Each structure stands twice: as C-alpha cells, then as structure tokens.
Amino acid sequence: MKTTTSSFQPQALSLPDTIRKMKNDFRKMEDEMDRLATNMAVITDFSARISATLQDHHERITKLAGVHALLRKLQFLFELPSRLTKCVELGAYGQAVRYQGRARAVLQQYQHLPSFRAIQDDCQVITARLAQQLRQRFREGGSGAPEQAECVELLLALGEPAEELCEEFLVHARGRLEEELSALEKELGPSPPAPDVLEFTDRGGSGFVGGLCQVAAAYQELFEAQGPRGGEKLAAFAQELGGCYFELVERRLAQEQGGGDNSLLVRALDRFHRRLRAPGPLLAAAGLTESATEIVERVARERLGYHLQGLQTAFLGCLTDVRQALAAPRLAGKEGPSLAELLASVASSIQSHIKASLAAVHLFTAKEVSFSNKPYFRGEFCSQGVREGLIVGFIRSMCQTAQSFCDSAGEKGGATPPALLLLLSRLCLDYETATISYILTLTDEQFLVQDQSPVTPVSTLCAEARETARRLLTHYVKVQGLVISQMLRKSVETRDWLSTLEPRNVRAVMKRVVEDTTAIDVQVGLLYEEGVRKAQSSDSSKRTFSVYSSSRQQGRYAPSYTPSAPMDTNLLSNIQKLFSERIDVFSPVEFNKVSVLTGIIKISLKTLLECVRLRTFGRFGLQQVQVDCHFLQLYLWRFVADEELVHLLLDEVVASAALRCPDPVPMEPSVVEVICERG
C-alpha cells in the first residue's frame, strides 16, 4: 500500500501509463492475500492439534474444579458454627444472618445425615441466641428507626413470626413518636413560654411528622407481604397518633386567635399543610391530609370571625371617640371639631380597618400558599367567608349597632347624644349612596369568587343602610323634640296661671326654645342639605296672636268677641279639633334640614298645646301665653317647610288657653309686639 500511495506523484501521467500502473499494484495485492490465506490455514491446523491433545486434561481439570468447589462448601458448612459464633460475639449480626441464609437450604436438605444434622443443631442454637440478642436490641429502643428497622429485617430473615414482629415494631414506633408529642406538649405549657407558631409547626413537622413518615416507609418495606391487613394496622396507628398531633397543633393555633398578624400564622399553616400533604400511600388511608386541610380551613374561619370582631370593636371605638369629642367642648368650654370633621374621621377610620382586614385575610389565598388551591379557599372562603361573613356581616352589624341607639331611648331620651344619632344617620346614608358599593367591589376584585352560592345583592344592603339612616334621623327628631318639650312642659306645669301678673316680658323658657332650635338648625346643617320650603308670606314676622289671632279667625269671629261678650267655646273647640286632625306630628322625616326641624318643632308645639289643655288660666295668664306664642312665631316659622304649620299650632295653643280662661280678655296686638321686640 505504501508503494501504491507513493506511486501517485504529482506528475502529469498519460491515461495508458496510469492504467498500467494500477494493474501492477493490484497484482501485488493479490499475491499478499494468497500468502495470508496460507498462513491462516496453518494456524487453524495447529490449533486443532493442540485442542485434541489437551481434551483429556480439560475434562480432568473441570472435575477437579467441581470437587474443589464442593470441598469449599463443605468446609464452609463445617466452619459455619464457629463463623456464626464469632459474628455474634463481634456484633456483626447482618453477616451472621447472611451466613445462615446461605447454608439453610443445604442443611435442611441433608439433615438426615448425622454430620449435617449436628451442624444444623449447632447453628440453630447459635441462631436462637442471635435472634434473642436482636430482639433485646430492638426492644431496648435506644437506637433510631433505621437501626430498629434493620433488626426487624434480620429477624424476619431468621424466620421469626412476621405478625409478632409487626406488632412489636408499631409498639416501639409509638414510644418514639409519643416522646415527640410529649416534647411538643411541654412547649404549650405556661413555662417556658411557647415558641412562635412557625417554630412550633416546624418542630412538629421535622420531629413527629418526619418520624411518622420514616415509620411508614420502614413498615411498608418490611411488612409489604402482610397485604391489606398490614396497611390497615398502619393506617389505624397513624390515625390515632396523628389525632394527638393535630390536637396539639390546634391548641397552639388557638393561642394565635388573639393576635393581629396573619402573615406568621399563614406561613405556619402552609408548612403544616405541606408536610402532611403527601405522607405516602399507606398513610393516606389514615386521612391525615384531609384532617390537616380541615384544620387549616377551621383556622381560616376563626380568623374571619376574629377580624369581624375587630371591625366591630373598631366601630365601637370610633363611637366612643365621637362621644368624647362631643363632650369635651362642653366640659372645657372650648369649641371642638365639627360634626362634618367627626363624620369624615369615623368614615375614614372604618374604611381603613376594612381594607386592613381584607389584606390580612387575603394571605390565605396567596398563590404560593400550598392550601390556596383547595376548593374551600377558591370558593366558599371568598364568597361566604370574606364577602358575606366579614364584609356584609360587619355592615349589617354596624347598622344593628346604630339602630340599637334608637331602642334604648326611654322616657328621658336616653344617654345617647343627639349629635351622635345625627352623625350615624349621615354615615349610614353615605354607605347607602356610595360606600357599600365601593367596599363590595373592592372585595370582589381581591377575592375572585368561584363559588356559585347566593350572596347578598348590593341593593339589599343599601336598602338596609338607608332604613337604618331613616330610623336614626327619625329618632334624632324625637329626642330633640322631647328635650324642648320637657322645657315647655315644666314651664307650663310649674306656673300658677290663675295668679300670673300682667305680662311685661317674654318668658325665658321661650327664648331658650328659640336658642336651642337655632343650635339644632346649625347642627343639622353641617351634615344635611337645606331642603325645600314653601313660599313664605311677607308678614310672617309681624303676625301677632290673640285668642282669635289667625287671619281666618279674625275675619270670622272678631266682630262677635268683646271683653264683655263670652267666646263661642263650642265653635273654638271644633276649630281646635280640625287643626289637630290636619297636623301629623310624627310624619316621616326626609333627609334634609327643613324636614328635621319641622318634625322637632311640631313635637315641641304639640307638647305645649297638650300641656295648656291641662291648665286653667287667668286673664293675665292668657295674655302671657299670647305673648309667648307671638315670640315663638317670630322666630320658628323660618325653620319649617310650611310656615302655616307654626301658625296653626300656635293659634291652637292660644285658643286652647282662652277656652280654659274664665275671663278671656286678650292683649292688644300692638302691645304684644312691643313686649316681644323688647324681649
């Protein structure tokens, strides 16, 4: 080949020369192949002669090798008792069991031979001692689970009863796991203080749960031949001890219900759930995963209850702050924050607490949390737990708390400041118009509800808030009307109207009534719009009262009335009845200032009328009533929706006083006006 390679030189050869050169090269290659074939034939013949010569020796060598192997086995059998004894003395139990396993079948097969029978008897004695030492080591329980599993494995290899070993294995495993549980229980005691919940669950997961998983793995490997019955034993074992562990975990979790931080609790629940999420196929039959999920769900529900209680407490705290703010100016003689400022502060505080609670419970649905993909946290937790239980529950609780101020008034008006009633009514009205819709929209956006359970419509909740606002405002009107009514009642009941001197001034109580009404008008105006009034006449502030002071009465009865001519009392009574039927004192209150003041003034003047009907008046007593009513008319007409309402009620008061006066001589209107202007 070298020649062939070297023959191709970079020369310009003609085609015939090239063909001639190639023929020479191939001729040389054929000669070399012939020589190679001849050599191979010689080698083959030589190998055949060698094999024929050594054939007899090969058979003898094979027989000798077989005899040698048999002798080695026999030697092993004869040395087996001493080998076993040495292994037992050195603690090489595994090696001893392997020796015994190798010889067992042969000894049983040839046990009818005396020599083999003797070896078998010696081995049985040694094996019994070995089994006793293994059992002793196993029962002492000082070693860990892997070492004990090795002891059981060796005992099974020695032919010990599997059923008995299975029971003993679980008994010893129970002892180790109960030690872990005892250590956890000690941490729950009053001293030393329990570790934080995350550390507690970590210890339980690495200690008890890890040990339980090791026991299950070893049990499955050792007693797999036990079949379904063995699995049932392990499941019952795990279920019993797992229940004890879950009880300790729940006790520790219960200590967290008073804390406000959810982040640490959720991390602890996540690790607790992860550790028990896939404990193995045999432990799955014990329902540990389902039980762990139930504990997490129960804790989540309890946290929702905790946050609901926190919102309710925060709301009550806001009301307490409002009470103190309303009382402080009166005590210190200083002007405090306005109702509008207090309302904004309460609304902002409640909304901040709601958002904080939503953020806290939202941790339970975070994607990185192992249990967030469970059906409960994807559906029921969001809809029935957070939306209905927490948010809707709080709004309804807030309305119920607000309405409770309407149910505890009593005869004395209760201890609730009227300004608080007014503020709460406006708060509930604001919730109805905007806040409820905003909060529920925020909740639905944060908690994507996948549950089909029915939820409370926004319209229903808004209607409840509006009804609460209406009840509060109505109660505010009654309370304020009662306060003014009490002043008027006392002023009528404590005066001797028969012996009253000729009036020279307006009574102080009437001035106080006007002052209080003006203050109420300012107070209500801070939170509610003005409202609609009827067109007012130009002489409202100039009208005076006599026993027949209305314009209709003046036109009808003035000609027939003189100091010497008695009044037509029957006709006057009919007029009073007509007025009483026309005026609805407790008509519904609208959400505006005019409607509120109208309701308060109606209650006050109606009380004045009823008190006047229970007294007897002298001439000057009647004139004093006439002066007082004119003074009230001068100022009160501007607060009501219809000034005619004030006119009718005051007319009825004066007419009722005249009806109960033996000598009804009215004061001249000009004199009444002078006294009121001076007053």
Side-chain angles (χ1 to χ4, degrees):
M1 292 298 293
K2 291 182 178 181
T3 305
T4 304
T5 304
S6 62
S7 63
F8 293 97
Q9 299 295 330
Q11 300 177 10
L13 298 177
S14 62
L15 182 58
D17 294 337
T18 302
I19 294 173
R20 189 181 303 109
K21 185 67 174 175
M22 290 177 65
K23 285 181 178 182
N24 293 332
D25 293 339
F26 278 114
R27 191 176 297 114
K28 292 178 181 180
M29 289 178 63
E30 288 175 359
D31 295 339
E32 292 177 0
M33 291 299 293
D34 291 340
R35 286 194 299 271
L36 179 61
T38 302
N39 292 335
M40 290 297 295
V42 173
I43 293 173
T44 301
D45 182 63
F46 185 72
S47 176
R49 285 186 301 203
I50 291 175
S51 297
T53 303
L54 296 177
Q55 180 65 32
D56 296 337
H57 298 287
H58 177 70
E59 292 177 358
R60 292 176 61 188
I61 291 172
T62 301
K63 290 180 181 180
L64 290 174
V67 172
H68 178 71
L70 179 59
L71 291 174
R72 288 184 60 186
K73 291 180 180 179
L74 291 174
Q75 183 182 6
F76 173 78
L77 290 175
F78 285 112
E79 293 177 355
L80 181 59
S82 61
R83 287 174 180 265
L84 292 177
T85 302
K86 187 175 182 180
C87 288
V88 172
E89 291 175 353
L90 295 176
Y93 303 121
Q95 186 66 38
V97 172
R98 285 192 291 273
Y99 287 160
Q100 174 67 13
R102 288 171 55 187
R104 181 183 303 161
V106 176
L107 291 175
Q108 287 181 351
Q109 183 178 1
Y110 298 102
Q111 63 181 345
H112 59 283
L113 299 176
S115 58
F116 286 94
R117 180 67 179 179
I119 295 174
Q120 186 181 28
D121 292 341
D122 292 341
C123 290
Q124 287 179 348
V125 173
I126 298 171
T127 302
R129 188 166 68 251
L130 172 61
Q132 184 179 3
Q133 292 186 11
L134 287 173
R135 282 185 177 275
Q136 183 65 27
R137 182 184 179 189
F138 173 67
R139 289 169 181 170
E140 288 176 354
S143 55
E147 291 79 5
Q148 289 200 326
E150 181 183 3
C151 291
V152 174
E153 184 179 8
L154 295 177
L155 288 170
L156 288 173
L158 291 175
E160 294 293 316
E163 184 75 17
E164 181 180 345
L165 290 174
C166 175
E167 295 293 339
E168 291 190 17
F169 178 81
L170 292 180
V171 168
H172 289 290
R174 178 188 297 273
R176 294 195 306 274
L177 294 176
E178 286 179 348
E179 289 178 1
E180 295 287 347
L181 294 176
S182 298
L184 290 175
E185 189 171 12
K186 289 180 181 178
E187 294 181 355
L188 296 177
S191 180
D196 63 60
V197 65
L198 182 61
E199 184 179 352
F200 183 86
T201 53
D202 280 343
R203 290 182 184 177
S206 60
F208 174 79
V209 180
L212 185 60
C213 291
Q214 287 181 358
V215 170
Y219 185 93
Q220 184 177 11
E221 183 178 354
L222 294 172
F223 305 105
E224 189 173 6
Q226 293 289 315
R229 185 178 179 184
E232 292 175 1
K233 287 184 179 180
L234 179 63
F237 171 83
Q239 189 173 12
E240 179 183 356
L241 292 179
C244 297
Y245 172 64
F246 291 150
E247 182 182 355
L248 295 176
V249 171
E250 289 193 273
R251 284 172 55 187
R252 182 62 186 86
L253 292 174
Q255 299 177 7
E256 295 297 310
Q257 295 305 313
D261 184 15
N262 274 4
S263 59
L264 190 65
L265 177 62
V266 171
R267 288 172 59 196
L269 290 174
D270 179 41
R271 295 190 185 180
F272 166 72
H273 186 266
R274 284 181 190 275
R275 200 69 179 84
L276 289 163
R277 184 169 51 180
L282 286 180
L283 289 181
L288 298 184
T289 304
E290 292 76 6
S291 299
T293 303
E294 290 174 2
I295 290 176
V296 173
E297 293 176 359
R298 185 157 55 249
V299 171
R301 284 190 289 268
E302 290 173 354
R303 293 305 290 180
L304 289 174
Y306 167 78
H307 285 288
L308 174 60
Q309 185 179 4
L311 290 176
Q312 294 169 343
T313 302
F315 177 62
L316 294 177
C318 290
L319 298 186
T320 302
D321 293 341
V322 171
R323 284 176 177 269
Q324 293 175 349
L326 293 174
R330 293 196 299 271
L331 297 176
K334 300 178 181 179
E335 184 178 357
S338 66
L339 280 181
E341 294 173 345
L342 291 176
L343 174 64
S345 175
V346 170
S348 175
S349 177
I350 294 174
Q351 200 167 108
S352 297
H353 280 91
I354 290 176
K355 290 181 178 179
S357 297
L358 288 176
V361 298
H362 190 263
L363 295 173
F364 285 94
T365 61
K367 293 182 179 180
E368 62 273 12
V369 177
S370 61
F371 51 78
S372 63
N373 60 345
K374 294 294 180 181
Y376 171 74
F377 289 98
R378 290 200 306 266
E380 183 182 349
F381 177 79
C382 297
S383 63
Q384 302 303 312
V386 178
R387 190 187 190 278
E388 294 297 301
L390 181 59
I391 302 304
V392 175
F394 167 68
I395 294 175
R396 283 179 166 163
S397 172
M398 186 181 70
C399 292
Q400 291 173 0
T401 301
Q403 289 188 28
S404 67
F405 293 111
C406 303
D407 302 330
S408 59
E411 201 58 37
K412 296 182 180 180
T416 304
L420 179 60
L421 297 173
L422 188 65
L423 183 146
L424 287 175
S425 70
R426 183 69 218 195
L427 178 66
C428 292
L429 186 63
D430 290 343
Y431 265 68
E432 183 264 336
T433 55
T435 308
I436 289 177
S437 177
Y438 168 74
I439 293 175
L440 290 182
T441 300
L442 181 65
T443 303
D444 293 339
E445 289 176 352
Q446 291 188 20
F447 298 86
L448 300 177
V449 178
Q450 300 180 14
D451 188 22
Q452 300 302 321
S453 302
V455 295
T456 304
V458 175
S459 58
T460 301
L461 208 57
C462 289
E464 294 177 9
R466 186 175 184 85
E467 176 62 19
T468 301
R470 185 195 64 77
R471 286 192 59 186
L472 286 164
L473 195 60
T474 301
H475 189 62
Y476 172 81
V477 170
K478 292 180 180 179
V479 170
Q480 293 288 48
L482 183 60
V483 171
I484 297 177
S485 297
Q486 287 176 335
M487 291 191 299
L488 293 173
R489 179 183 292 113
K490 290 180 180 179
S491 71
V492 174
E493 293 176 351
T494 58
R495 191 179 183 91
D496 185 3
W497 293 99
L498 290 173
S499 304
T500 300
L501 299 178
E502 184 177 0
R504 291 290 181 266
N505 293 294
V506 178
R507 288 192 300 150
V509 66
M510 298 303 167
K511 299 178 183 179
R512 177 67 183 275
V513 168
V514 173
E515 291 174 357
D516 288 357
T517 304
T518 303
I520 293 172
D521 179 74
V522 173
Q523 186 181 73
V524 177
L526 294 174
L527 300 181
Y528 284 99
E529 301 296 331
E530 180 70 22
V532 180
R533 301 178 187 271
K534 289 186 178 180
Q536 300 167 344
S537 62
S538 59
D539 60 345
S540 296
S541 62
K542 298 182 178 296
R543 179 168 179 174
T544 58
F545 288 91
S546 68
V547 293
Y548 43 85
S549 58
S550 71
S551 58
R552 293 191 298 272
Q553 288 174 327
Q554 287 179 353
R556 285 186 176 183
Y557 308 120
S560 64
Y561 177 78
T562 62
S564 59
M567 293 183 64
D568 186 351
T569 56
N570 290 332
L571 181 60
L572 188 58
S573 297
N574 291 333
I575 293 175
Q576 292 174 355
K577 183 178 179 180
L578 178 63
F579 290 163
S580 299
E581 291 175 351
R582 289 181 58 187
I583 298 174
D584 183 8
V585 178
F586 297 103
S587 59
V589 181
E590 302 296 332
F591 295 106
N592 58 73
K593 184 175 71 173
V594 171
S595 178
V596 172
L597 269 296
T598 300
I600 294 172
I601 291 174
K602 284 194 298 183
I603 293 174
S604 304
L605 297 184
K606 187 66 175 178
T607 301
L608 177 62
L609 173 61
E610 296 302 324
C611 292
V612 167
R613 286 177 175 174
L614 298 177
R615 311 296 293 179
T616 302
F617 297 86
R619 175 189 299 180
F620 295 141
L622 172 62
Q623 292 178 1
Q624 183 66 60
V625 171
Q626 189 179 357
V627 171
D628 292 344
C629 288
H630 179 67
F631 181 81
L632 292 177
Q633 185 274 332
L634 285 176
Y635 294 98
L636 296 185
W637 66 270
R638 68 194 67 199
F639 297 119
V640 298
D642 185 4
E643 64 179 84
E644 190 65 20
L645 175 68
V646 177
H647 298 160
L648 291 176
L649 287 172
L650 291 176
D651 279 347
E652 191 172 357
V653 170
V654 176
S656 182
L659 181 64
R660 289 155 180 79
C661 178
D663 185 19
V665 178
M667 181 177 287
E668 292 295 328
S670 58
V671 179
V672 172
E673 292 178 3
V674 171
I675 293 175
C676 291
E677 290 175 359
R678 186 174 64 240

